[in-house]
């Protein structure tokens, strides 16, 4: 079969994931793609531009982009697509070099809620940013340099009966070297990162560096209908929103992409959805296009937000963990995520908006709702809705193995999400 637009989209998503081993890389790669499409950087320290066109701004691991259409004013509204750039992982601690029984290891903190067992026995890299004496930030990314080795079954005979039980401090430290024959320590991870970044190790004054799986994304299945990759939660949504923004035309309303950092740890940061970054940008756009104070609130009242984040497909081995009437499948279309307790922001108005977008794009959609016995996850949707008072709807592609180092999606859903997102921008 000749490759379809959906195949091309998936291959591009794989490229995006590989280019984005950390939230900082995801924001930078998004900015690079937007720049290639004609968007220009808006410095936070300068007056916001009012001229029609596309703009972007990176704050730490967050990316915000917007397009001001010709004729934008205090009578315009916003169409916002929210997502997040971060994924569960392990973050390098201060004084990271450890030694144990001749091994060089690294001290790491658990970031967010990874499925710990899924990170075992993988060739891992480190990626993120280091900051030097002059205050400059340097993106850094290693090759496959380390591994969290699982204990052999011969030394853990009960593991298949009682399950893998990992002490988060004792059992998660990756190995990355063995000492030289003379017994001298060969490990200095910050020096290694400095060398890769091309800076003097003595100049490195801070680091935000996390582990990533170096395995490439891959299609699989007899019909090539599945897609395995790291960080589909939530780079699948960041990528879809980038595609939607890039394809969007110079027409009302004002379209906005907000890819926040720190969703996996509660969104409370200056680059997270519970911070002021999006409200600040919307307010500054409103001022730039000449809105009065009251008109700014009118603009919010004319606005909608699509909160895009990966959700759960029904797991065939655990159907009892799902709602009996709502069992989304891979390749059945992106999810409309619903929760009575507003863990998702979707309401009837938002549901109708999403279904209109899907109909306009000609893509299927399916509902997700939790089994009442299980707590529901959450997203940035309720946070942005609460902060801004803008009608928000939670959606995203279905996955198996969410928060695994290697998640699983259907090959068709990412493209469907991107097309529905693009239609949402034009509602
Ligand atoms: Zn997520």
């Amino acid at each position: 079969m000749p490759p379809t637009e959906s195949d091309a989209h998936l291959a591009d998503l794989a490229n995006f994931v590989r280019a984005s081993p950390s939230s900082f890389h995801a924001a930078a790669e998004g900015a690079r793609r937007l720049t290639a499409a004609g968007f220009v950087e808006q410095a936070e320290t300068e007056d916001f531009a009012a001229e029609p066109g596309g703009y972007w701004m990176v704050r730490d691991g967050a990316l915000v982009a917007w397009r001001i259409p010709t004729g934008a004013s205090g009578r315009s509204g916003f169409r916002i697509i929210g997502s997040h750039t971060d994924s569960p992982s392990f973050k390098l601690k201060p004084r990271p070099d450890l030694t144990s029984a001749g091994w060089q290891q690294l001290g790491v903190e658990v970031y967010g809620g990874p499925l710990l067992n899924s990170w075992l026995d993988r060739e891992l890299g480190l990626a993120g940013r280091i900051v030097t004496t002059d205050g400059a930030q340097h993106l850094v990314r290693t090759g496959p340099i380390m591994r969290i080795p699982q204990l052999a079954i011969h030394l853990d005979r009960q593991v298949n009966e009682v399950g893998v039980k990992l002490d988060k401090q004792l059992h998660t430290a990756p190995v990355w070297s063995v000492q030289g024959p003379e017994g001298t320590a060969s490990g200095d991870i910050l020096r290694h990162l400095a060398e890769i970044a091309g800076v003097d190790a003595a100049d490195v004054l801070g680091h935000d560096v996390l582990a990533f799986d170096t395995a490439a994304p891959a299609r699989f299945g007899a019909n090539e209908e599945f897609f395995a990759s790291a960080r589909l939660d939530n780079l699948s949504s960041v990528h879809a929103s980038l595609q939607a923004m890039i394809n969007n035309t110079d027409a009302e309303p004002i379209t906005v992409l907000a890819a926040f950092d720190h969703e996996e740890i509660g969104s409370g940061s200056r680059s997270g959805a519970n911070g002021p970054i999006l409200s600040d940008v919307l307010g500054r756009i409103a001022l730039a296009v000449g809105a009065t104070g009251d008109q700014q609130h009118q603009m919010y009242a004319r606005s909608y937000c699509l909160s895009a984040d990966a959700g759960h497909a029904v797991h065939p081995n655990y159907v009892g963990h799902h709602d009996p009437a709502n069992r989304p499948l891979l390749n059945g279309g992106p999810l409309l995520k619903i929760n009575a307790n507003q863990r998702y922001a979707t309401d009837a108005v938002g549901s109708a908006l999403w279904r209109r977008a899907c109909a306009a794009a000609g893509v299927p959609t399916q509902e997700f709702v939790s089994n009442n016995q299980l707590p529901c996850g959450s997203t940035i949707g309720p946070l942005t809705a609460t902060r801004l008072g803008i009608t928000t709807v939670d959606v995203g592609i279905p996955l198996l193995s969410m928060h695994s180092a290697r998640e699983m999606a259907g090959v068709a859903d990412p493209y469907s999400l991107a097309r529905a997102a693009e239609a949402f921008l034009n509602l």
Side-chain angles (χ1 to χ4, degrees):
M1 276 198 305
T4 62
E5 283 182 41
S6 177
D7 294 330
H9 182 89
L10 192 76
D12 193 58
L13 170 59
N15 290 337
F16 183 68
V17 169
R18 297 203 80 182
S20 307
S22 76
S23 60
F24 306 101
H25 288 80
E29 172 64 9
R32 187 192 70 75
R33 287 168 173 244
L34 290 163
T35 301
F39 286 65
V40 297
E41 181 175 11
Q42 169 67 62
E44 284 194 73
T45 49
E46 304 289 333
D47 291 346
F48 264 36
E51 296 76 38
Y55 302 90
W56 59 262
M57 186 189 98
V58 169
R59 181 190 286 183
D60 301 327
L63 169 69
V64 186
W66 58 98
R67 188 191 291 278
I68 298 179
T70 302
S73 72
R75 302 287 172 197
S76 302
F78 296 105
R79 295 292 176 275
I80 304 158
I81 306 177
S83 62
H84 65 89
T85 54
D86 64 321
S87 300
S89 180
F90 298 88
K91 189 174 186 203
L92 202 63
K93 284 185 171 180
R95 298 178 177 271
D97 295 307
L98 308 176
T99 307
S100 176
W103 289 90
Q104 292 295 321
Q105 291 181 276
L106 298 174
V108 291
E109 288 183 275
V110 178
Y111 178 85
L115 282 169
L116 293 176
N117 61 295
S118 73
W119 285 79
L120 301 174
D121 299 342
R122 292 176 180 275
E123 291 67 59
L124 306 175
L126 286 172
R129 66 176 177 181
I130 56 178
V131 178
T132 41
T133 314
D134 57 2
Q137 300 182 29
H138 308 264
L139 289 185
V140 63
R141 162 193 205 143
T142 73
I145 60 165
M146 60 187 198
R147 173 173 171 127
I148 306 171
Q150 188 170 356
L151 188 59
I153 194 165
H154 313 79
L155 306 178
D156 192 9
R157 290 283 184 191
Q158 288 299 302
V159 64
N160 290 334
E161 279 64 50
V162 302
V164 180
K165 290 213 172 91
L166 297 171
D167 180 301
K168 287 178 185 166
Q169 177 65 32
L170 292 176
H171 300 152
T172 61
V175 298
W176 80 293
S177 187
V178 286
Q179 288 181 347
E182 69 282 11
T184 54
S186 57
D188 184 343
I189 191 62
L190 295 180
R191 179 172 301 280
H192 185 68
L193 295 175
E195 278 169 13
I196 289 172
V199 301
D200 192 338
D203 278 343
V204 176
L205 298 190
H207 54 82
D208 295 312
V209 175
L210 296 98
F212 70 99
D213 182 14
T214 58
R219 288 180 78 137
F220 70 106
N223 301 312
E224 297 231 312
E225 65 203 291
F226 303 130
F227 183 60
S229 171
R231 301 184 297 285
L232 290 174
D233 174 13
N234 189 18
L235 296 182
S236 58
S237 301
V238 178
H239 180 253
S241 65
L242 282 166
Q243 289 299 111
M245 282 298 286
I246 287 168
N247 291 341
N248 190 244
T249 53
D250 175 41
E252 292 269 12
I254 301 168
T255 50
V256 181
L257 174 157
F260 301 99
D261 201 354
H262 298 143
E263 192 273 346
E264 300 293 355
I265 53 170
S267 296
S269 75
R270 76 183 211 106
S271 51
N274 213 11
I277 182 168
L278 179 58
S279 56
D280 286 355
V281 167
L282 296 183
R284 294 180 76 175
I285 296 170
L287 287 173
V289 300
T292 64
D294 191 66
Q295 281 178 334
Q296 185 175 328
H297 295 286
Q298 296 172 31
M299 292 176 78
Y300 287 4
R302 289 190 197 96
S303 299
Y304 304 123
C305 177
L306 191 70
S307 163
D309 201 349
H312 302 294
V314 63
H315 194 305
N317 298 348
Y318 301 88
V319 288
H321 288 57
H322 298 268
D323 181 69
N326 293 278
R327 292 179 166 175
L329 283 171
L330 302 186
N331 292 326
L335 306 175
L336 173 63
K337 297 155 77 175
I338 295 163
N339 179 259
N341 299 302
Q342 286 287 294
R343 302 285 291 165
Y344 302 132
T346 307
D347 61 7
V349 175
S351 296
L353 286 169
W354 171 247
R355 291 184 203 284
R356 278 169 53 202
C358 288
V363 302
T365 184
Q366 42 191 349
E367 293 87 0
F368 174 86
V369 69
S370 283
N371 183 303
N372 291 348
Q373 297 290 352
L374 294 171
C376 182
S378 193
T379 70
I380 59 137
L383 299 175
T384 48
T386 303
R387 283 191 63 90
L388 301 168
I390 291 175
T391 293
T392 301
V393 53
D394 269 294
V395 304
I397 66 166
L399 300 182
L400 288 184
S401 315
M402 185 186 287
H403 288 195
S404 166
R406 196 164 177 85
E407 296 165 329
M408 174 175 174
V411 294
D413 296 324
Y415 185 56
S416 295
L417 176 63
R419 292 187 55 207
E422 192 176 335
F424 181 88
L425 293 179
N426 294 319
L427 285 179

